[in-house]
Amino acid sequence: MDQKQSRLDRARTQYALYKERPLDISMARGIPSKKQLKLSESLVNDIEIESWLSEDELDIRNYGGLYGIKEARELFGLLLKTKIEETFVGGNSSLQLMFAVLNYHMYNKQNPWSKAKDQPVKFICPSPGYDRHWFMLDYLGIEMIPVELTGNGPDMEVVEKLVSQDPSIKGMFVVPKYNNPTGESVSDEVVDRLASMHTAVQDFLILWDNAYIVHHLTDEKVEIKNILAASKDSGNPDRVIQFVSTSKMTLPGAGVSAMGSSTKNIDAMAEYFSKQLISFDKINQKRHVKFLKDKQSIEAHMEKHREILEPKFSWIDAILSAYFGGESQSFVEWTSPKGGYFVHLTTRVNCASKIVAAMADIGITLTPANAAYPYGSNPLDNSIRLAPSNLSLDQLEIAMEALCVCIEMVTLETYENL
Ligand code: PMP
């Protein structure tokens, strides 16, 4: 029997054992673990609010202050490098703010993207990217154009060509730091090119989703060049809206989100929100200011998250290296992110869906294969996202060993000549 056949037999035997004793593990979404949530329990249980007045004299129990309370706008302004008038603090979800921005541009009364009925509205989608961005665009009927990521952000040659020629392309998403799911960060050059590129539409919009702005996993704390300043310098002050939230700093179910942009954009969004609510939860904004305090204490708090998360990422790397590290013909390539919440696997072509299905059959749920591509459509069928945050190290070890067996089995079944 040749070496390949015996290796496949061994993988199938191991897989059959998993099938006899199915597991119940999910690595599908980037959910903070209970241990991480505990780090912020005192936000709810111990923070005392001595004064109901915000620094700008708003009674935080009452209506009012749609832009957010002064001290919260200042705190998020530190993260976003924006002035108070350039900063808007919302509810618990930055995705809600992003959807609001898209919805505003699609349907506002003055100059909606949806005005040209016979022309589709299109968006550039750096891929592999965040599936919920793609769901949002799809829901709004915005056509998605995937552009490959390079390791330093989107392929700018392609982006520049597309946006300079096609006036139906209205904007793009970018996750600048520790991208979900590839972990990559944009280089200074990419920031400058995005800020200054010629676009066929005058009001081209970049949704700069900085969800992992302080979510480092190593000592190399990646810093991204200030895109708002770069776009101002290039004469495009309204091109970028930045988003952050505390979902993965404090409590995703009860956090605070913010956006930073030109005052023109911020005022337009405040006007849009004023039609649907009178103000967001200012008590929670105040609590967050008291809990997170300043940049230094946010960094100290994020170190505690890192202590919990980093071993999970090291463990994934160690197990994949042990299985596939020495292969002359690689079964799989994987990322070793310096921050964020995900590891991205690039399998051999036509293997990702089968691997995810094989995992599901033994009770391990992964994000659907290729979900990181718009419409979930990736002709190469080679993209899998791993989200280890909510697993214990023991569960992770079991899941990763099973994953390696599935990768080995599916790849050998798919590639006879390997
Ligand atoms: N953006 C990205 C890139 C994310 O990965 C996530 C969470 N997985 C979010 C946004 C969600 O943000 P929020 O909880 O603030 O809506």
Side-chain angles (χ1 to χ4, degrees), residues 29-30 92-96 98 130 132-133 175 180 209 211-212 244-248 252 257 342 385:
R29 306 301 318 178
N92 77 310
S93 165
S94 61
L95 281 172
Q96 182 188 37
M98 294 172 223
Y130 182 34
R132 291 190 194 276
H133 289 162
V175 179
N180 174 358
D209 179 1
Y212 300 104
V244 282
S245 80
T246 64
S247 287
K248 287 164 183 179
S257 62
F342 305 97
R385 183 182 81 162

Side-chain angles (χ1 to χ4, degrees), residues 72-357:
R73 295 171 81 191
E74 275 170 355
L75 181 66
F76 283 103
L78 286 178
L79 292 177
L80 295 168
K81 301 197 172 75
T82 44
K83 296 186 205 127
I84 189 160
E85 63 273 18
E86 298 171 325
T87 316
F88 182 99
V89 182
N92 77 310
S93 165
S94 61
L95 281 172
Q96 182 188 37
L97 298 179
M98 294 172 223
F99 187 90
V101 166
L102 292 174
N103 208 38
Y104 163 76
H105 281 281
M106 279 300 274
Y107 302 114
N108 69 77
K109 257 205 308 205
Q110 294 80 30
N111 188 25
W113 289 342
S114 60
K115 179 170 60 178
K117 291 270 177 280
D118 45 349
Q119 227 186 25
V121 177
K122 298 183 199 156
F123 243 61
I124 303 259
C125 301
S127 305
Y130 182 34
D131 54 3
R132 291 190 194 276
H133 289 162
W134 312 154
F135 299 155
M136 209 183 272
L137 293 170
D138 196 28
Y139 185 83
L140 290 166
I142 298 174
E143 203 176 300
M144 295 179 266
I145 307 172
V147 169
E148 283 295 319
L149 287 162
T150 61
N152 296 307
D155 185 334
M156 286 308 297
E157 297 284 322
V158 179
V159 172
E160 284 161 347
K161 203 159 165 210
L162 284 166
V163 301
S164 66
Q165 290 172 355
D166 186 350
S168 58
I169 302 178
K170 306 296 186 194
M172 67 190 291
F173 269 104
V174 179
V175 179
K177 199 187 280 192
Y178 310 136
N179 176 50
N180 174 358
T182 61
E184 71 194 78
S185 300
V186 297
S187 63
D188 290 358
E189 189 204 334
V190 168
V191 169
D192 285 334
R193 287 172 76 169
L194 287 169
S196 63
M197 66 191 178
H198 168 70
T199 58
V201 282
Q202 205 205 335
D203 53 352
F204 186 88
L205 195 65
I206 299 176
L207 280 79
W208 194 253
D209 179 1
N210 224 333
Y212 300 104
I213 190 165
V214 286
H215 305 58
H216 313 288
L217 288 168
T218 74
D219 287 337
E220 191 193 327
K221 297 181 164 58
V222 172
E223 276 303 319
I224 306 285
K225 191 168 174 181
N226 185 339
I227 184 131
L228 208 58
S231 15
K232 273 186 203 163
D233 291 347
S234 304
N236 301 311
D238 305 317
R239 178 171 288 184
V240 180
I241 305 185
Q242 313 174 77
F243 302 89
V244 282
S245 80
T246 64
S247 287
K248 287 164 183 179
M249 300 183 207
T250 59
L251 307 172
V256 179
S257 62
M259 56 186 167
S261 187
S262 64
T263 42
K264 184 177 162 211
N265 284 341
I266 293 299
D267 290 345
M269 287 314 299
E271 144 95 358
Y272 168 84
F273 273 118
S274 74
K275 305 294 175 271
Q276 38 184 302
L277 80 170
I278 303 170
S279 51
F280 288 99
D281 181 346
K282 295 184 292 302
I283 292 182
N284 201 29
Q285 291 178 10
K286 180 90 166 173
R287 273 198 208 118
H288 271 79
V289 172
K290 292 185 92 133
F291 182 73
L292 292 172
K293 292 189 189 83
D294 53 29
K295 239 179 143 192
Q296 233 180 346
S297 82
I298 290 176
E299 274 167 24
H301 182 71
M302 294 312 292
E303 272 302 311
K304 296 182 203 155
H305 281 286
R306 172 181 161 185
E307 275 167 32
I308 298 169
L309 284 170
E310 193 187 337
K312 301 184 185 183
F313 285 85
S314 308
W315 208 212
I316 290 181
D317 196 50
I319 295 176
L320 286 168
S321 300
Y323 261 81
F324 302 114
E327 301 282 356
S328 54
Q329 286 177 300
S330 70
F331 281 57
V332 63
E333 286 166 16
W334 63 94
T335 56
S336 305
K338 296 189 182 118
Y341 264 63
F342 305 97
V343 171
H344 183 252
L345 304 185
T346 307
T347 68
R348 286 200 156 239
V349 170
N350 291 330
C351 288
S353 301
K354 286 187 269 184
I355 292 166
V356 170

